[in-house]
Amino acid sequence: MSAKQEIILSGIRPTGRLHYGNYFGAIKSFIELQGKGHQCYYFIADYHALTTISERVDFFQQTIDMLRTYVACGLDPAQSVIYRQSDLPCTAELSLLLGMITNIGHLERGTTYKDKLSKLEQGAQGLEGNPLSFGLLGYPVLMAADILIVRANQVPVGDDQRQHVEMAMDIAQKFNHRFGETLTIPRAVQRNALRLPGLDGSAKMGKSDNNTLDLLDDPKTVLKKIKGVQTTTDPEPLDTESNDPDAVIPRMPNSVGALYRMLSLLAPEEVYLEFVGKYRRGEKFYGTLKTTLAEYVSKFNEPIIERFNAPENTPESVKDFLRENARKVTPVALETVEACREAMGIGRSLYRA
Ligand code: TYM
């Protein structure tokens, strides 16, 4: 291993189709980090997907589709180890060990848990039969296990997951402090991670909020979704000279900001600037903004949809692929679990020896 090689790890839950938040918050960095001599592990977080279910869901099929989308987006199976979380069951063992040193109070401050709690308190629809679970409270511990088990240094995630990565750092530090230097502390957490707003104007595009633009949406769907974005409010003065999206977008109504954010990510700079100019001048422009953006989105989706549908992607070939990758990551992961068992005093597993 060369001195500069980093261990990169990240995951996404197989809870439906991948959306633009997933892409620009996470997958884009996954792709950029490939081919630079780092060891990259990207996985499909199917255990985490179970934290919010109330009935059986075919997560296996969704995992297959997600894997196909990963590869269609540009993740290269020759450069990254892409696996399914539940094919590495020793992650659950590490999560159990780490849970022994994690304060409940700490977990109650976790964003995923708090979001669900507040939805329940507000009487949100669709959560019947799906109360707060032990698994949901332990979400960040399982996530810490994912990260620490391969000794990841860097964890590329969107802004909404940053707190969870910071919790993993705290858990690792606590473990090492109590039981001696055993775990690698992940050090780099992106400070400028993105949080893409939803098409409904909410702060975050999210699978469970029905406000997403998806990477596999066809042109008709794209246009329909974008046309449906609320743009009834007139532009207000921007109160900044800067055209930087980070300065301009927070000064816009949320749903309009979502359109501009996507335009800034997908269109050439001059197109984005042209529309910022129109906004400043208060021209009538929302109709053209929407059709222009829809064209860029569909152009972006086209090759992804084509690769997703490639005939060689049979369920059997995907299964073989996942099996092979689980074999690659297992020895690294088991070594960490064994080291933790030893450090805590129960000793190494006798059956795995
Ligand atoms: P998940 O499936 O919710 O999201 C996967 C990735 O997409 C990013 N993301 C966003 N980024 C910007 N704007 C948005 N609107 C947006 N929506 C989603 C997320 O930040 C994330 O990077 N807990 C993780 C999965 C996980 C994991 C891990 C990640 C499990 N174990 C270990 C890293 C390391 C999750 O729920 O992702």
Side-chain angles (χ1 to χ4, degrees):
M1 194 193 282
S2 80
K4 272 175 57 201
Q5 191 190 32
E6 297 275 303
I7 299 178
I8 319 280
L9 169 127
S10 195
I12 300 188
R13 290 170 302 146
T15 43
R17 289 155 53 133
L18 287 171
H19 57 72
Y20 271 66
N22 297 136
Y23 185 86
F24 286 103
I27 297 178
K28 187 165 182 273
S29 323
F30 299 0
I31 296 166
E32 284 164 3
L33 287 160
Q34 287 183 145
K36 304 220 159 84
H38 304 309
Q39 172 69 61
C40 297
Y41 295 106
Y42 299 125
F43 68 97
I44 296 153
D46 57 347
Y47 280 152
H48 274 104
L50 295 174
T51 55
T52 48
I53 57 161
S54 53
E55 57 188 20
R56 185 182 191 282
V57 175
D58 191 350
F59 284 120
F60 185 61
Q61 185 55 47
Q62 293 188 185
T63 297
I64 291 184
D65 288 347
M66 180 140 305
L67 179 68
R68 289 166 61 191
T69 323
Y70 266 7
V71 175
C73 286
L75 278 198
D76 180 358
Q79 299 192 56
S80 301
V81 179
I82 309 173
Y83 61 96
R84 178 171 68 148
Q85 186 183 30
S86 66
D87 282 324
L88 200 60
C90 56
T91 309
E93 184 180 354
L94 184 59
S95 176
L96 179 134
L97 298 178
L98 300 177
M100 302 302 172
I101 59 160
T102 308
N103 288 341
I104 292 181
H106 200 174
L107 295 177
E108 281 169 344
R109 291 194 289 277
T111 47
T112 306
Y113 181 81
K114 272 192 354 201
D115 285 353
K116 174 92 184 266
L117 183 62
S118 82
K119 279 186 186 158
L120 282 172
E121 282 171 354
Q122 289 159 19
Q125 300 287 304
L127 295 176
E128 305 81 15
N130 186 1
L132 292 170
S133 65
F134 171 62
L136 188 71
L137 183 65
Y139 192 110
V141 186
L142 182 57
M143 195 160 149
D146 293 323
I147 297 169
L148 302 175
I149 208 161
V150 298
R151 303 187 176 280
N153 315 108
Q154 276 198 49
V155 187
V157 285
D159 182 64
D160 61 306
Q161 294 295 316
R162 234 180 52 198
Q163 185 206 35
H164 287 156
V165 179
E166 282 162 4
M167 285 166 107
M169 294 159 96
D170 290 346
I171 293 172
Q173 260 152 2
K174 194 164 176 187
F175 190 102
N176 287 352
H177 183 69
R178 286 212 189 155
F179 306 115
E181 290 299 314
T182 313
L183 294 168
T184 305
I185 314 289
R187 36 179 180 75
V189 185
Q190 279 172 293
R191 285 282 142 209
N192 54 352
L194 178 80
R195 181 177 297 235
L196 192 67
L199 294 182
D200 57 354
S202 61
K204 188 190 140 194
M205 183 175 288
K207 280 172 256 197
S208 52
D209 298 322
N210 252 330
N211 64 6
T212 65
L213 197 56
D214 299 340
L215 295 166
L216 297 177
D217 281 342
D218 59 35
K220 230 171 110 188
T221 312
V222 169
L223 191 60
K224 189 165 168 239
K225 285 187 178 179
I226 292 181
K227 280 200 162 161
V229 173
Q230 235 192 341
T231 43
T232 42
T233 39
D234 287 334
E236 302 225 346
L238 277 178
D239 144 35
T240 169
E241 302 272 289
S242 167
N243 286 328
D244 182 338
D246 289 336
V248 166
I249 291 169
R251 292 173 160 83
M252 295 175 162
N254 279 348
S255 54
V256 176
L259 297 176
Y260 271 86
R261 176 61 75 183
M262 273 184 290
L263 195 70
S264 76
L265 292 168
L266 293 171
E269 200 185 1
E270 63 270 19
V271 176
Y272 160 77
L273 291 176
E274 185 193 323
F275 279 99
V276 174
K278 287 179 191 288
Y279 189 96
R280 281 190 203 284
R281 295 189 295 273
E283 291 171 13
K284 269 191 171 307
F285 65 95
Y286 284 136
T288 12
L289 170 66
K290 287 178 176 177
T291 45
T292 306
L293 177 62
E295 271 168 36
Y296 281 107
V297 170
S298 293
K299 222 192 291 168
F300 189 81
N301 285 4
E302 192 184 313
I304 299 177
I305 296 173
E306 201 176 303
R307 286 193 292 263
F308 177 85
N309 289 321
E312 63 271 20
N313 280 331
T314 63
E316 275 321 305
S317 70
V318 173
K319 270 192 211 171
D320 289 344
F321 173 82
L322 287 173
R323 195 173 298 115
E324 195 187 309
N325 282 310
R327 283 204 190 104
K328 287 188 197 157
V329 63
T330 294
V332 181
L334 281 180
E335 176 30 46
T336 310
V337 178
E338 293 294 351
C340 289
R341 291 178 59 124
E342 189 149 33
M344 292 176 95
I346 55 175
R348 292 185 169 246
S349 159
L350 299 176
Y351 81 91
R352 276 199 299 246

